Amino acid sequence: MSGPCARAAAVGALALALWTPGALGQARELENPGAIAAVQERPYRLRLRHELDLWFGVLPLDAFYVGFYAQLGYVYHFTDRFAWQVGRGAYGMAARTSLRGELERNFAVQPTALDEVQFFVGSDIMWKPLYGKLAVLNRAVLHGEVHLLAGASLFRFSNSGFRPGVTIGGGGRLFVNQHVSFRFDVTHAVVVPTGGGSTSFSNVLTVNLALALNFGGKD
């Protein structure tokens, strides 16, 4: 076969190849780069898993004391993106600042006049929109996620007693393996002026680090 017939046969074969599904997909990708993307499966998943958290935290906001506390928490992960921090409870101690000492010595301010957080409990909804991995000096790969929190807390103050608050915050998680991870959270609670004659809103900031133990579910 030669001449016009050969050229017609070549054109027909090329057209048939372009109309096959694979070739058509490649043509679309060339026309619109980045439209087809491969998302790698997560090596560590928390879907349908339980989580037990052991926390150490700091209350750094108050000018008259710095609070240190230990906290125990339980989380249930419905999906890879949503979880419920069912319960958390913390008990702490206060390290009083030099400013508070000066007020008590020089201005006869009574210790009971200054409120301290003694312990608190709460519950939160967790949304986990980001998951990723980082290469460390091309020698190791760290897997982690970022989450946001919203919930409610009940605080026990040394002077004004029990007071409820609304809590928002966020943090991150670094996985060691499927069953062990580390969490770092920062939360801010707006505490309602009820109990003990309190007349103003209070703000409680927490900065905390946790060892998280994950179990149950399916790998």
Side-chain angles (χ1 to χ4, degrees):
M1 184 182 297
S2 61
C5 292
R7 288 195 295 271
V11 171
L14 179 60
L16 180 62
L18 289 176
W19 277 103
T20 60
L24 186 59
Q26 292 177 358
R28 289 175 178 172
E29 185 176 4
L30 290 174
E31 293 176 0
N32 187 14
I36 300 176
V39 178
Q40 190 178 39
E41 185 68 21
R42 299 185 182 194
Y44 307 123
R45 303 192 67 177
L46 296 176
R47 181 174 62 90
L48 302 179
R49 286 185 176 272
H50 306 274
E51 177 181 326
L52 183 64
D53 296 324
L54 304 174
W55 294 90
F56 173 76
V58 180
L59 306 173
L61 191 61
D62 199 285
F64 303 113
Y65 76 97
V66 177
F68 299 94
Y69 65 88
Q71 177 175 279
L72 181 66
Y74 167 72
V75 182
Y76 182 74
H77 297 266
F78 296 100
T79 68
D80 288 324
R81 294 184 180 178
F82 290 96
W84 177 21
Q85 191 160 256
V86 180
R88 48 179 172 79
Y91 185 84
M93 59 177 293
R96 297 176 179 177
T97 64
S98 58
L99 175 59
R100 176 165 180 164
E102 291 178 7
L103 290 176
E104 292 176 351
R105 289 192 305 269
N106 301 331
F107 300 95
V109 175
Q110 296 299 316
T112 55
L114 302 174
D115 247 355
E116 298 175 356
V117 176
Q118 296 179 320
F119 61 86
F120 54 93
V121 296
S123 183
D124 310 279
I125 297 298
M126 181 185 298
W127 179 44
K128 304 171 286 181
L130 298 177
Y131 178 94
K133 60 182 180 178
L134 294 172
V136 181
L137 300 176
N138 289 329
R139 295 180 180 272
V141 176
L142 298 179
H143 293 263
E145 64 182 20
V146 175
H147 55 261
L148 300 176
L149 299 165
S153 299
L154 179 64
F155 294 88
R156 174 61 166 86
F157 287 84
S158 58
N159 185 34
S160 56
F162 288 97
R163 296 169 59 187
V166 177
T167 304
I168 59 173
R173 181 193 304 272
L174 286 178
F175 290 94
V176 176
N177 53 47
Q178 181 63 70
H179 303 288
V180 180
S181 59
F182 290 98
R183 278 180 57 184
F184 175 77
D185 284 14
V186 177
T187 67
H188 176 239
V190 178
V191 184
V192 179
T194 61
S198 176
T199 59
S200 61
F201 287 89
S202 299
N203 296 281
V204 177
L205 180 71
T206 69
V207 180
N208 38 72
L209 178 67
L211 171 66
L213 306 176
N214 306 107
F215 53 94
K218 296 181 180 180
D219 292 334

